[in-house]
Amino acid sequence: MAALPLRALTLRQLQFFSVLVEEGQFGRAARRLAITQPALSNAIKQMEKLLGAELLTRSTHRLELTPVGAEVLARTDFLVNTFEVALRDIESIVQRGRAFVRIGVIPSAAARVAAAAGEFLGSGRRDVELAWRDAPSNTLLAELRSGQIDMAVAAITEPPGGLACIDLFRDPLVLVVRRDHALAAAGDASWEAIGKERLVLFESGSMPALGNPARAQFAQGAEPYRVSYSETLYALVRSGQALGLMPRLYTSSLRDPELVVLPLLKPRVERRVVLAYLPGPMRNVVAQELIAFLREKLPRAREASEAGEIGEAKVRRVSSKGTRARR
């Protein structure tokens, strides 16, 4: 059981501390909270007194968290976010008779996750309201830990601490080339075949951890272009300035007659796509049911998609051979 002084902490004090750290200044935080600056300062001092530890170091121009303050903040944000979401959940149940579930998803997997969630809702469910959040994996996992979302479909290269993870499928790296490139006719490519050609890849997410070791292994030449969006990557490939290196999920909606997607082999480099959530009791039963549904549905959807992609690739190769024969 917690000591009596600590149990005197209030949610309001925790909210004040969270907002103060986010704003980084007493004046801005006080205006956002609609209280006076002295009232905010007193609330933080009272919180530090109850905890028996200093949370912030104060100077004229900035606030900095102490090591204890950083640990307290992580738990404070979780409590505050969980409380806010619980209020919204209660409001949704009372006013609309629906549970409120928040889903995070990486953009490359959004089509499959949205389709599966739509099937879940279409099975006669009228007791759930979904909220969506799309962001890079590291952002989603951080928001999951802090209680801002209930589950996340994310790509990882190593197990994320403090979270439960269900493996959904593996997403390999592929090469995007112009249709008139020499590699396009082969139907697949190896890292060695890339040679000294320049690559373009995403600057964040799982790509640095996946692509850089393979590039180093085969001593590839020029430093690759690093971009944030697939449209930019495709534009650089289309213009002949680079070959595109990206996870296959991103290419599922690519319909460009100028570009060809090639499996990249020897070695086959993959990222894990997982369904992550906080261990322990879930906030509502519907969230548990949706996790169970996605766990079963998403791997099957991936298998069906891969079968279709293999069929399309065979058709493209046969068509390409026929074209060369007629010539």
Side-chain angles (χ1 to χ4, degrees), residues 42 44 52-53 56 60 64 94 97 99-100 129 134 146 159 174 177 197 203 207 240 267 280 296 308 318:
N42 288 334
I44 299 301
L56 298 161
T60 306
E64 290 187 0
V94 171
F100 180 63
E129 178 179 348
D134 61 334
S146 66
V174 296
V177 303
E197 294 207 48
E203 63 184 349
M207 281 306 303
E296 295 300 319
V318 170

Side-chain angles (χ1 to χ4, degrees), residues 223-294:
E223 183 66 17
Y225 295 120
R226 300 180 187 274
V227 299
S228 298
Y229 300 100
S230 55
E231 292 87 350
T232 310
L233 185 148
Y234 294 145
L236 290 173
V237 176
R238 202 179 294 114
S239 67
Q241 298 183 57
L243 308 182
L245 179 66
M246 65 198 311
R248 182 165 60 187
L249 265 181
Y250 279 92
T251 68
S252 59
S253 60
L254 178 62
R255 300 291 183 270
D256 189 325
E258 296 183 51
L259 302 180
V260 174
V261 179
L262 302 175
L264 189 52
L265 311 173
K266 300 177 183 178
R268 179 182 169 97
V269 180
E270 302 172 315
R271 60 179 186 168
R272 292 169 57 194
V273 178
V274 301
L275 177 59
Y277 56 93
L278 282 168
M282 295 293 292
R283 192 171 44 81
N284 60 55
V285 174
V286 176
Q288 296 176 356
E289 294 173 351
L290 180 55
I291 286 175
F293 184 87
L294 295 177

Side-chain angles (χ1 to χ4, degrees), residues 114-147:
E119 188 172 332
F120 178 80
L121 295 174
S123 60
R125 302 300 303 242
R126 296 289 182 266
D127 58 345
V128 57
E129 178 179 348
L130 301 182
W132 292 89
R133 166 74 165 135
D134 61 334
S137 294
N138 56 349
T139 300
L140 293 177
L141 296 178
E143 292 182 358
L144 188 57
R145 290 188 183 94
S146 66

Side-chain angles (χ1 to χ4, degrees), residues 32-90:
R32 177 173 159 186
L33 293 164
I35 61 174
T36 65
Q37 188 169 327
L40 175 59
S41 180
N42 288 334
I44 299 301
K45 288 177 181 177
Q46 181 64 21
M47 186 176 173
E48 289 178 321
K49 182 177 179 181
L50 291 171
L51 291 170
E54 189 178 47
L55 301 175
L56 298 161
T57 56
R58 302 157 175 84
S59 67
T60 306
H61 301 292
R62 59 187 298 179
L63 296 171
E64 290 187 0
L65 286 166
T66 64
V68 171
E71 293 293 334
V72 171
L73 178 66
R75 292 151 181 81
T76 295
D77 283 345
F78 177 78
L79 288 171
V80 170
N81 290 329
T82 301
F83 176 74
E84 294 292 339
V85 172
L87 288 180
R88 186 170 174 182
D89 202 12
I90 292 170

